[in-house]
Amino acid sequence: ILLLTVTPILVAIILAYMLEGIVHRFTANQSFNRNTIVLLVYFSFIAVSIAILFLLLPLMIEQLTLFVQSLPSILEKGKSLLTNFTSSDKGIISSDQLTNIFSALNSEVTMMSGSIVSYSLASAGSIFATIIYILIVPILIFFLLFDKKEINGWFKKFFPEKLDLSKKAYAELDLKIGNYIRCKFIEIIIVWVASTLLFTLLGLNYSLLLGFLCGISVIIPYVGAIAVTIPIIFVGYFQWGTSSEFWYIIFAHIIVQVIDGNVVVPILFSDAVNLHPLAILISILFFGTIWGIWGVFFAIPLAVLVNTLLNIWPKTEYKS
């Protein structure tokens, strides 16, 4: 119940931070009133969201259904792929071990498919609640944007008036988290669109679904890129074997990841986060261990929070 209550609020705050960057750019460079800009940006966002909801979402659900149905065949192909690289004499994993591993995976896939169906049937009665949440999120976004000044003023009442440290923390954290969310959203869109276009042009099955997975994989740096490569390899091998098309797909995926890591990320995040890769990996491990999947998703914002507090904390100078 708590998760269902907090999730819409977190989603609304994240989307409001993202849209605030667009509002700020227009209000800084134009002479328009902020409320007018907020209304234009907000209704444009609603129009784009409705278009995605009714155009792309049905296609992705259809591809997801086909993908789940074909998972046993894909796993069988994956088994033959790994068998080509191993042997009972020299390989690290024997054929019998591979058979046992993929038998267990097939059992898990069967259970997962059954769980999806049972969850869909069980959740049919909560469709009304889901609709309510979908309606609440846009309303929350609107008030977070339209009444930002009043909301900030309300939160500031809880900070001690004479404590400069709390004011600096709030100001820097608001700036850093806002920049991170906006830059991360732009990165997701770039990787999603680029991967989907390349997969579609090369004729890969489930191109929209796999492109979307590539996009959201950037939420978890380094780990996400490795994780999303596994289904791409299996789907490509299931479709083409080890023909040239399979290697084209792998090469295209690697190129997108390289450009993202070496061009897109440095440009977008040069001033947004300023965290060392080691700090990012440690934060993913630490917060993921504490809060599971939610800790993994919010690891970097939490690391930014800790880094901000460390940066603004008064430093004592020792005299020798």
Side-chain angles (χ1 to χ4, degrees):
I1 295 174
L2 179 61
L3 182 62
L4 291 175
T5 304
V6 172
T7 300
I9 299 174
L10 288 176
V11 171
I13 291 173
I14 290 171
L15 292 175
Y17 262 119
M18 179 198 65
L19 296 176
E20 177 60 34
I22 303 174
V23 172
H24 179 72
R25 285 185 178 274
F26 277 102
T27 53
N29 299 326
Q30 304 292 336
S31 58
F32 294 109
N33 181 270
R34 174 182 166 84
N35 291 342
T36 304
I37 298 297
V38 166
L39 291 174
L40 289 173
V41 170
Y42 175 77
F43 285 111
S44 299
F45 167 75
I46 294 297
V48 172
S49 299
I50 291 174
I52 292 174
L53 185 64
F54 286 99
L55 294 178
L56 293 182
L57 189 60
L59 293 175
M60 290 182 59
I61 292 175
E62 180 183 358
Q63 290 192 1
L64 178 61
T65 303
L66 294 173
F67 178 71
V68 171
Q69 291 174 351
S70 63
L71 269 178
S73 301
I74 292 175
L75 287 175
E76 189 61 32
K77 274 276 194 177
K79 176 185 172 183
S80 64
L81 172 64
L82 292 178
T83 304
N84 292 336
F85 292 99
T86 60
S87 65
S88 57
D89 298 327
K90 300 179 180 179
I92 299 175
I93 302 177
S94 67
S95 299
D96 292 337
Q97 289 173 325
L98 279 177
T99 301
N100 292 333
I101 291 172
F102 278 90
S103 295
L105 286 175
N106 275 320
S107 300
E108 291 294 329
V109 167
T110 303
M111 292 176 59
M112 182 184 70
S113 301
S115 300
I116 292 173
V117 173
S118 61
Y119 176 78
S120 300
L121 293 175
S123 62
S126 62
I127 293 177
F128 180 73
T130 303
I131 293 174
I132 294 297
Y133 287 132
I134 291 174
L135 293 175
I136 285 176
V137 169
I139 296 173
L140 289 173
I141 294 171
F142 175 78
F143 285 117
L144 287 171
L145 286 173
F146 200 80
D147 296 327
K148 180 186 176 183
K149 186 176 180 180
E150 289 79 4
I151 293 171
N152 282 345
W154 184 80
F155 275 108
K156 287 180 180 178
K157 291 192 300 184
F158 296 95
F159 291 95
E161 293 184 2
K162 296 183 179 180
L163 188 59
D164 291 336
L165 183 63
S166 64
K167 295 178 182 178
K168 289 180 181 178
Y170 180 80
E172 186 170 344
L173 189 61
D174 180 63
L175 178 64
K176 294 247 180 185
I177 294 295
N179 286 340
Y180 170 76
I181 291 174
R182 286 187 285 273
C183 293
K184 184 59 69 174
F185 183 81
I186 294 171
E187 184 189 4
I188 289 172
I189 296 298
I190 291 173
V191 175
W192 179 12
V193 171
S195 298
T196 301
L197 286 176
L198 283 174
F199 293 162
T200 303
L201 289 173
L202 294 172
L204 181 66
N205 291 336
Y206 322 114
S207 57
L208 182 61
L209 176 63
L210 293 174
F212 175 72
L213 291 178
C214 289
I216 63 173
S217 70
V218 304
I219 296 176
I220 309 173
Y222 314 114
V223 179
I226 297 172
V228 79
T229 304
I230 297 172
I232 292 173
I233 291 175
F234 279 170
V235 171
Y237 185 74
F238 174 74
Q239 186 173 348
W240 293 302
T242 55
S243 63
S244 58
E245 288 85 355
F246 170 77
W247 296 110
Y248 292 155
I249 285 292
I250 301 302
F251 180 72
H253 174 62
I254 292 174
I255 288 296
V256 171
Q257 295 299 323
V258 169
I259 293 175
D260 174 53
N262 294 278
V263 179
V264 177
V265 170
I267 292 175
L268 290 177
F269 292 89
S270 58
D271 298 320
V273 177
N274 194 25
L275 287 175
H276 193 276
L278 181 62
I280 293 175
L281 290 174
I282 292 175
S283 65
I284 291 172
L285 290 172
F286 179 75
F287 293 112
T289 303
I290 297 176
W291 292 306
I293 188 65
W294 289 109
V296 171
F297 277 115
F298 292 102
I300 297 181
L302 291 170
V304 171
L305 170 61
V306 174
N307 186 53
T308 300
L309 294 176
L310 291 175
N311 286 338
I312 66 169
W313 198 264
K315 296 177 176 61
T316 304
E317 295 184 0
Y318 295 95
K319 295 182 180 180
S320 56

